[in-house]
Amino acid sequence: MAEAHQAVAFQFTVTPDGVDFRLSREALKHVYLSGINSWKKRLIRIKNGILRGVYPGSPTSWLVVVMATVGSSFCNVDVSLGLVSCIQRCLPQGCGPYQTPQTRALLSMAIFSTGVWVTGIFFFRQTLKLLLCYHGWMFELHGKTSNLTRIWAMCIRLLSSRHPMLYSFQTSLPKLPVPRVSATIQRYLESVRPLLDDEEYYRMELLAKEFQDKTAPRLQKYLVLKSWWASNYVSDWWEEYIYLRGRSPLMVNSNYYVMDLVLIKNTDVQAARLGNIIHAMIMYRRKLDREEIKPVMALGIVPMCSYQMERMFNTTRIPGKDTDVLQHLSDSRHVAVYHKGRFFKLWLYEGARLLKPQDLEMQFQRILDDPSPPQPGEEKLAALTAGGRVEWAQARQAFFSSGKNKAALEAIERAAFFVALDEESYCYDPEDEASLSLYGKALLHGNCYNRWFDKSFTLISFKNGQLGLNAEHAWADAPIIGHLWEFVLGTDSFHLGYTETGHCLGKPNPALAPPTRLQWDIPKQCQAVIESSYQVAKALADDVELYCFQFLPFGKGLIKKCRTSPDAFVQIALQLAHFRDRGKFCLTYEASMTRMFREGRTETVRSCTSESTAFVQAMTEGSYTKADLRDLFQKAAKKHQNMYRLAMTGAGIDRHLFCLYLVSKYLGVSSPFLAEVLSEPWRLSTSQIPQSQIRMFDPEQHPNHLGAGGGFGPVADDGYGVSYMIAGENTIFFHISSKFSSSETNAQRFGNHIRQALLDIADLFQVPKAYS
């Protein structure tokens, strides 16, 4: 085949007359361009490293300082107070470039200027770090900003006024502080008070006091020592022990999904949609590599940590018997594709040039049109990533450590990301409530063997052009993948576009070599392991009940009229709904971020508080006036907002206790208090889905450009997983998961309780009932 010859740089044959070499100019051209592109990336990284290293300074500011020093010297003004003369005397004597007095003077002034410049950068960075340690602004009432906060904001803007690159603020971010043990235990006891009767609470108080007095001081010293030494005292242990050491399947238990735009559709052509989306993804990766993406800023001035974005692409979770590892590559020039039981390798570049959307559409159409059948054992191979981690690690070592299986597996694991081409069609139909839930189920687990759950993310494409993501959780949290997804969907809709027939704009290059089939040699023993993993995964997937719905009566706009935060409003509604559903309260997990600190990830907000339970009980009794209920609600909302702010500012409960528990295990110290705390089940696990991290378009002008967010599986077998996205002024999307095997839970029933709880709370504020 002509394409196969183009892929080889040179060939040779041995003849009686000697060795006959045949060079492929096209292939050599591609090799040359690839090398040039690689060197460009290296130079860009070096340049960015320098610019990032001197931020908020710049080469221009260095030149200004040098010119100012030299200029003052010509004006007979010694701004160095004699330091330039000292430096000049210290320079080596003799021949060479330092021979003339003028050269020695200029060099001395350049050294002095560089020292002043570096000192200034250090001073500005330390000042910025001190300023970023101030979190008083978070606790001030909306519209009532103190003078101190105004001065602080002016200083922050002044020190970060120069256009920053993605990682410019990393070294200026403060470290996550270690809370005092007494404060953490006090907040912990306060959080469990509504869940325990007097006898149980008294027993827990005794355990906590014994721990605080006897065991905690020693553990805390080690934790403080780690906080001085490490960039973040939590994140590395959190990644290892919560994610990488987990031996249960990633599917449902750890991975989560993200939905496409659900109220509009740009095209029905599957290959065309993939062409635009994947081109946009690689554009994003290029910006990421060049650090051209702006850092996410709270209030537009407070930088968030960006370190999680480093492993978004070219990353795979490698299974191990005891613990997994994350393998991240600096670059990858292809994606791995799954379609109808076959695996393909699709190149994203032609030489140094990124393939255009129309070229990618053609390549994906070639895969869709390929009639070849799967090889023995190939169809369900990805079920290994959906089953137990130990079984996958053993199979990987036994059957994929050499030969063509190793080469094919490396093609998947070294890919930029994984692409799954499904034969089914899913989308959201507002007239069919079940459609959103079916769409979510397809994204969460598919058929258990058409997703590669180990990749940082799998891009899922349905036959009707609808898309979605399934993301592995260890490398980063949901806001990071959400940042990518917002950019990609915005670029697809407003920058790339389609023809009237739904195809990518422009003409493709038919001379491109088609995608390559990956070759496998999977023995019967391995096929048996694959089938076993598939059965484990299928049982898990079949047990998941997922109920997704769009809440249309109101959204953020109406909630703000109640003078409370939208998140607190929804969280209190969840408490009311859960009590109506189960007749009791439970330990509730809400994820908040700690990205205002270096390498920060998440912290837990314990949403079931004494204030929220008092409100729920009052609502249930039915004997309180609306004014009393409003007062109780406002107290609960205020408490929730304060807890959320404490969690964001490093004063949470659970990460501190988690790290103390790990230190106790390292030291061989037994703590009944920590053992009990860490074993408590989260029967209601919740998360708000971020949106509008990037302003790609005006939502008021394009109100239908809404994603539906995403979701995850239940954390406890007898509990609920709830994610929600407050999508603009007038709607909220909910994703509720539970397990069919639990007789106590029902996702749809809980969803109906959530609907009613939201309406009942809104009614307390006598909001006009246009939504009724």
Side-chain angles (χ1 to χ4, degrees):
M1 293 171 63
E3 294 87 357
H5 287 293
Q6 289 177 4
V8 181
F10 71 91
Q11 298 173 319
F12 67 91
T13 55
V14 180
T15 68
D17 299 323
V19 180
D20 178 27
F21 288 93
R22 295 193 299 277
L23 300 178
S24 169
R25 291 183 180 179
E26 188 66 21
L28 286 175
K29 174 186 173 184
H30 288 179
V31 170
Y32 168 75
L33 291 175
S34 180
I36 292 294
N37 189 51
S38 179
W39 275 105
K40 281 182 179 178
K41 285 187 175 181
R42 288 191 182 98
L43 291 174
I44 288 171
R45 288 193 185 106
I46 292 171
K47 183 197 77 171
N48 288 344
I50 294 171
L51 294 177
R52 186 192 329 125
V54 301
Y55 187 86
S58 66
T60 304
S61 64
W62 173 83
L63 189 60
V64 168
V65 175
V66 172
M67 290 177 65
T69 305
V70 174
S72 65
S73 175
F74 281 111
C75 296
N76 295 319
V77 177
D78 186 8
V79 295
S80 72
L81 302 178
L83 285 175
V84 170
S85 300
C86 291
I87 295 170
Q88 192 169 350
R89 287 195 298 270
C90 293
L91 290 176
Q93 301 286 339
C95 301
Y98 316 114
Q99 188 173 8
T100 66
Q102 294 85 352
T103 304
R104 292 168 61 84
L106 285 173
L107 183 59
S108 300
M109 284 185 279
I111 293 172
F112 167 77
S113 301
T114 302
V116 171
W117 181 66
V118 170
T119 303
I121 290 171
F122 178 79
F123 172 77
F124 278 122
R125 279 192 175 180
Q126 294 304 310
T127 304
L128 183 59
K129 182 178 286 190
L130 286 173
L131 288 169
L132 291 175
C133 289
Y134 171 72
H135 299 124
W137 60 273
M138 290 193 67
F139 297 89
E140 293 180 349
L141 295 176
H142 183 67
K144 295 184 179 180
T145 306
S146 66
N147 291 331
L148 177 62
T149 297
R150 288 194 179 98
I151 295 170
W152 166 82
M154 289 173 58
C155 294
I156 289 282
R157 286 192 177 97
L158 183 65
L159 291 175
S160 58
S161 57
R162 207 170 67 78
H163 296 296
M165 296 190 300
L166 179 61
Y167 303 119
S168 291
F169 293 112
Q170 288 301 102
T171 55
S172 298
L173 292 174
K175 290 185 177 184
L176 183 68
V178 181
R180 290 181 294 107
V181 172
S182 59
T184 297
I185 289 179
Q186 179 186 347
R187 284 192 285 267
Y188 168 78
L189 291 173
E190 187 180 326
S191 74
V192 297
R193 186 65 189 95
L195 304 174
L196 304 176
D197 60 31
D198 292 343
E199 185 179 341
E200 291 172 328
Y201 182 73
Y202 179 69
R203 184 183 65 84
M204 185 56 74
E205 265 190 324
L206 291 178
L207 286 176
K209 181 171 177 52
E210 180 187 19
F211 170 73
Q212 181 177 338
D213 294 341
K214 296 181 179 179
T215 312
R218 182 186 177 197
L219 306 182
Q220 181 79 346
K221 288 177 183 176
Y222 283 94
L223 211 52
V224 170
L225 181 63
K226 187 193 176 188
S227 73
W228 291 345
W229 177 256
S231 300
N232 189 293
Y233 81 91
V234 176
S235 293
D236 57 338
W237 283 350
W238 187 255
E239 179 178 300
E240 179 180 357
Y241 289 97
I242 297 301
Y243 293 115
L244 297 180
R245 284 185 179 266
R247 301 295 82 197
S248 58
L250 300 183
M251 185 194 77
V252 175
N253 294 319
S254 180
N255 286 27
Y256 57 94
Y257 66 87
V258 185
M259 288 184 171
D260 197 354
L261 300 175
V262 291
L263 300 181
I264 63 161
K265 183 175 283 189
N266 293 320
T267 180
D268 292 321
V269 182
Q270 185 177 14
R273 189 80 196 287
L274 281 167
N276 268 5
I277 290 293
I278 290 180
H279 182 81
M281 282 184 165
I282 303 306
M283 286 172 59
Y284 182 93
R285 187 180 70 168
R286 179 182 291 173
K287 286 178 173 288
L288 193 63
D289 290 342
R290 296 177 178 180
E291 301 183 29
E292 294 172 353
I293 297 171
K294 294 180 180 179
V296 176
M297 312 280 275
L299 296 182
I301 58 172
V302 181
M304 301 286 106
C305 180
S306 302
Y307 99 101
Q308 294 181 62
M309 302 177 86
E310 295 175 1
R311 298 181 293 183
M312 186 179 297
F313 295 93
N314 328 323
T315 299
T316 300
R317 181 167 169 166
I318 305 297
K321 292 181 180 179
D322 298 316
T323 183
D324 296 351
V325 294
L326 287 174
Q327 172 187 282
H328 173 68
L329 306 176
S330 60
D331 193 20
S332 176
R333 300 174 62 81
H334 72 276
V335 292
V337 184
Y338 180 90
H339 177 243
K340 284 188 174 180
R342 297 92 41 86
F343 290 88
F344 295 83
K345 182 178 183 178
L346 190 155
W347 292 102
L348 299 169
Y349 293 84
E350 182 188 17
R353 182 182 68 85
L354 172 63
L355 293 185
K356 295 179 180 178
Q358 62 267 27
D359 294 326
L360 289 166
E361 177 186 356
M362 179 188 69
Q363 296 292 63
F364 278 107
Q365 194 59 52
R366 285 173 168 175
I367 293 175
L368 293 169
D369 295 338
D370 189 323
S372 60
Q375 300 161 74
E378 182 182 18
E379 182 179 15
K380 295 183 180 180
L381 175 63
L384 289 170
T385 69
R389 303 306 291 171
V390 174
E391 293 78 8
W392 174 206
Q394 293 171 341
R396 189 177 189 276
Q397 185 175 5
F399 305 111
F400 298 90
S401 57
S402 62
K404 61 172 65 174
N405 287 350
K406 180 181 180 181
L409 182 62
E410 284 185 347
I412 295 173
E413 293 179 340
R414 298 175 72 86
F417 51 90
F418 193 80
V419 183
L421 308 182
D422 285 13
E423 285 296 294
E424 299 79 22
S425 293
Y426 292 99
C427 65
Y428 173 45
D429 178 4
E431 301 299 320
D432 179 11
E433 186 181 72
S435 61
L436 196 63
S437 303
L438 293 171
Y439 177 27
K441 283 273 283 184
L443 295 175
L444 181 63
H445 52 66
N447 63 13
C448 304
Y449 57 80
N450 57 356
R451 316 277 183 258
W452 198 270
F453 294 101
D454 287 355
K455 288 299 292 182
S456 56
F457 65 89
T458 294
L459 174 63
I460 301 160
S461 170
F462 299 107
K463 200 167 187 177
N464 58 352
Q466 197 78 6
L467 299 174
L469 299 175
N470 183 288
E472 200 277 323
H473 212 323
W475 63 275
D477 302 307
I480 305 302
I481 204 75
H483 193 280
L484 162 71
W485 199 229
E486 284 184 33
F487 175 88
V488 167
L489 294 180
T491 303
D492 173 46
S493 297
F494 298 102
H495 298 282
L496 296 177
Y498 299 89
T499 65
E500 292 182 359
T501 56
H503 292 277
C504 295
L505 299 173
K507 293 184 178 180
N509 176 15
L512 285 173
T516 309
R517 274 289 303 272
L518 299 184
Q519 300 300 312
W520 308 91
D521 181 14
I522 302 174
K524 294 290 185 182
Q525 302 96 309
C526 184
Q527 292 180 36
V529 177
I530 292 171
E531 183 61 29
S532 175
S533 291
Y534 169 66
Q535 293 301 329
V536 169
K538 187 176 185 302
L540 181 58
D542 290 344
D543 193 27
V544 174
E545 179 186 9
L546 186 67
Y547 179 56
C548 308
F549 67 92
Q550 182 182 10
F551 181 76
L552 288 167
F554 59 83
K556 180 169 59 178
L558 185 143
I559 294 173
K560 286 184 176 178
K561 293 179 182 178
C562 302
R563 296 185 178 181
T564 187
S565 83
D567 181 67
F569 190 98
V570 174
Q571 283 291 328
I572 295 169
L574 290 176
Q575 291 300 316
L576 177 58
H578 187 272
F579 188 81
R580 289 171 173 175
D581 184 79
R582 300 285 294 272
K584 58 183 178 181
F585 298 105
C586 73
L587 195 61
T588 305
Y589 181 112
E590 183 190 5
S592 73
M593 67 173 185
T594 56
R595 288 175 61 200
M596 289 192 294
F597 302 98
R598 191 171 182 181
E599 296 185 15
R601 290 196 61 162
T602 61
E603 177 57 276
T604 304
V605 179
R606 293 178 167 233
S607 302
C608 184
T609 63
S610 297
E611 290 79 0
S612 65
T613 56
F615 167 74
V616 169
Q617 287 168 340
M619 285 286 288
T620 306
E621 287 179 18
S623 60
Y624 288 74
T625 64
K626 281 190 174 182
D628 290 337
L629 291 171
R630 281 196 299 270
D631 185 56
L632 289 170
F633 174 83
Q634 293 292 3
K635 288 179 180 177
K638 185 178 180 181
K639 176 67 174 181
H640 180 82
Q641 287 175 261
N642 188 61
M643 289 176 59
Y644 201 97
R645 290 162 180 161
L646 286 170
M648 287 186 66
T649 54
I653 301 168
D654 290 274
R655 299 301 178 269
H656 186 203
L657 293 177
F658 163 76
C659 290
L660 289 171
Y661 176 77
L662 281 182
V663 173
S664 73
K665 289 298 180 183
Y666 283 131
L667 297 178
V669 176
S670 176
S671 170
F673 171 74
L674 289 177
E676 186 159 338
V677 169
L678 271 294
S679 64
E680 293 169 343
W682 301 97
R683 290 194 171 88
L684 181 55
S685 181
T686 70
S687 179
Q688 182 182 179
I689 304 160
Q691 60 168 335
S692 301
Q693 299 182 80
I694 309 175
R695 298 287 293 183
M696 295 289 291
F697 59 90
D698 186 351
E700 292 185 3
Q701 294 184 8
H702 305 278
N704 288 331
H705 281 72
L706 284 179
F712 52 88
V715 174
D717 290 339
D718 58 347
Y720 291 111
V722 181
S723 65
Y724 53 95
M725 187 174 79
I726 304 170
E729 299 296 310
N730 302 307
T731 190
I732 308 173
F733 285 98
F734 285 91
H735 304 253
I736 305 161
S737 62
S738 63
K739 292 193 175 182
F740 288 114
S741 57
S742 172
S743 60
E744 299 182 44
T745 56
N746 182 296
Q748 185 164 355
R749 183 186 70 206
F750 188 42
N752 292 333
H753 283 306
I754 292 173
R755 276 194 183 98
Q756 191 58 51
L758 290 167
L759 293 172
D760 290 346
I761 294 174
D763 186 60
L764 295 178
F765 293 86
Q766 298 178 340
V767 179
K769 295 189 177 181
Y771 56 81
S772 301

